[in-house]
């Protein structure tokens, strides 16, 4: 026969059942929570896997682009721009001839570039040459220009650069030049027209521009259409 159990025993049993239910419910909740964490961890792994796949695809695409691009030779890769198959041109030999740049820079007077460049054979005259200026068949000279103090004399109407100013309106700013040159052992005077507008006349004959013409004693020179005669004489 079963022992007789009072109301106190029934309360203990009910409390025990309630405790078991709570424990079972708590266990289910913890297990479910653990499952949720496992699911989140699995999803996180899937996301990482997806990102890794994207990186692999990008790397694969960039490598394909590099393979599809035309390859450059070693010289092109280094930036030289010369194909290896082509022969390089021989190095340029040094040129020791005068370029004329220095003469151009130094051939300036009062800020004006001269049309004439002094030649290397220029020398000071060894004789005392002079220009006697006559006008309109007048027997008395109007002017005397001494031509033995320097090697080059520039004629023209530009007072800033001309050594001997020719004030006639038909004369150019830089009209002509008298240059003493060394010829053998002698220093000889020469005349050159500097491409003037109206030319230079020697002994009633117009001379060619930019060419040296030898001068001799008693030569008569006219610049432009001026009526002044420049007669070359020795002292």
């Amino acid at each position: 026969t079963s022992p007789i159990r009072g109301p106190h025993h029934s309360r203990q049993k009910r409390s025990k059942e309630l405790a078991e239910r709570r424990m079972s419910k708590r266990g289910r909740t913890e297990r479910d929570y653990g499952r949720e964490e496992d699911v989140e961890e699995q999803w996180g792994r899937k996301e990482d896997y997806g990102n890794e796949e994207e990186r692999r695809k990008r790397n694969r695409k960039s490598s394909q682009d590099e393979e599809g691009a035309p390859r450059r030779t070693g010289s092109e890769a280094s930036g030289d721009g010369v194909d290896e198959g082509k022969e390089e041109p021989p190095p340029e030999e040094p040129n020791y001839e005068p370029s004329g740049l220095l003469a151009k820079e130094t051939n300036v007077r009062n800020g004006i570039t001269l049309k004439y460049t002094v030649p290397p054979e220029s020398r000071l005259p060894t004789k005392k040459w002079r220009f006697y200026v006559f006008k309109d068949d007048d027997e008395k000279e109007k002017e005397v220009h001494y031509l033995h103090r320097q090697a080059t004399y520039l004629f023209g109407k530009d007072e800033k650069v001309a050594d001997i100013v020719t004030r006639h309106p038909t004369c150019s700013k830089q009209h002509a030049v008298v240059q003493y040159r060394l010829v053998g052992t002698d220093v000889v005077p020469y005349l050159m027209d500097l491409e003037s507008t109206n030319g230079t006349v020697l002994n009633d004959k117009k001379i060619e521009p930019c060419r040296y013409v030898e001068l001799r004693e008693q030569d008569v020179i006219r610049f432009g259409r001026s009526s002044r005669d420049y007669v070359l004489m020795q002292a």
Side-chain angles (χ1 to χ4, degrees):
T1 62
S2 60
I4 298 174
R5 298 175 180 177
H8 179 70
H9 178 73
S10 61
R11 283 196 299 271
Q12 288 180 350
K13 184 177 181 181
R14 191 177 300 121
S15 298
K16 186 178 181 180
E17 289 177 356
L18 289 173
E20 290 178 354
R21 290 178 182 177
R22 288 177 181 175
M23 291 297 294
S24 62
K25 186 176 182 180
R26 184 180 300 173
R28 287 197 302 273
T29 304
E30 290 177 355
R31 286 192 299 272
D32 294 340
Y33 180 75
R35 291 175 182 174
E36 291 177 359
E37 288 182 349
D38 295 339
V39 172
E40 291 179 357
E41 185 177 357
Q42 291 177 1
W43 276 106
R45 291 177 180 176
K46 289 183 179 179
E47 290 179 358
D48 294 339
Y49 179 76
N51 294 334
E52 186 176 356
E53 284 293 325
E54 291 180 359
R55 287 195 296 270
R56 290 180 179 177
K57 289 180 180 179
R58 287 197 296 268
N59 294 335
R60 191 180 302 113
K61 185 177 180 180
S62 61
S63 62
Q64 290 177 357
D65 294 341
E66 291 179 357
E67 291 178 358
R71 294 181 178 271
R72 295 186 301 175
T73 60
S75 59
E76 292 177 343
S78 61
D80 295 338
V82 180
D83 296 339
E84 291 183 353
K86 295 183 179 180
E87 295 182 358
E88 295 183 359
E92 185 177 357
E93 296 182 358
N95 186 4
Y96 299 103
E97 296 182 359
S99 62
L101 296 177
L102 181 60
K104 184 177 180 180
E105 292 180 359
T106 57
N107 197 30
V108 177
R109 183 183 298 179
N110 295 330
I112 300 175
T113 302
L114 300 180
K115 297 173 63 176
Y116 176 75
T117 303
V118 178
E121 69 273 11
S122 174
R123 296 292 188 275
L124 287 172
T126 56
K127 299 178 181 180
K128 293 184 178 181
W129 295 95
R130 297 178 183 181
F131 264 147
Y132 292 90
V133 182
F134 298 89
K135 183 178 180 181
D136 297 331
D137 297 331
D138 192 351
E139 295 182 357
K140 186 178 180 180
E141 69 274 3
K142 300 295 182 182
E143 298 174 274
V144 179
H145 298 288
Y146 300 94
L147 303 178
H148 63 276
R149 296 170 181 170
Q150 58 193 54
T152 306
Y153 287 88
L154 178 62
F155 293 77
K157 65 180 181 180
D158 191 345
E159 297 181 359
K160 293 182 179 180
V161 296
D163 297 300
I164 299 176
V165 180
T166 56
R167 293 179 175 86
H168 198 271
T170 61
C171 294
S172 300
K173 293 181 178 181
Q174 299 181 45
H175 195 102
V177 65
V178 172
Q179 174 68 60
Y180 292 98
R181 304 169 65 196
L182 180 63
V183 180
T185 57
D186 298 329
V187 179
V188 182
Y190 283 84
L191 175 67
M192 176 187 288
D193 179 80
L194 301 179
E195 295 182 322
S196 62
T197 303
N198 295 297
T200 302
V201 177
L202 174 62
N203 299 329
D204 295 329
K205 184 178 179 181
K206 190 174 182 179
I207 64 175
E208 296 184 16
C210 297
R211 294 190 65 178
Y212 284 115
V213 179
E214 182 180 353
L215 293 178
R216 298 176 181 177
E217 192 173 8
Q218 297 184 1
D219 280 345
V220 180
I221 301 170
R222 284 188 178 184
F223 301 105
R225 298 176 184 174
S226 174
S227 58
R228 292 176 180 268
D229 294 333
Y230 291 77
V231 182
L232 184 63
M233 300 290 292
Q234 292 188 26

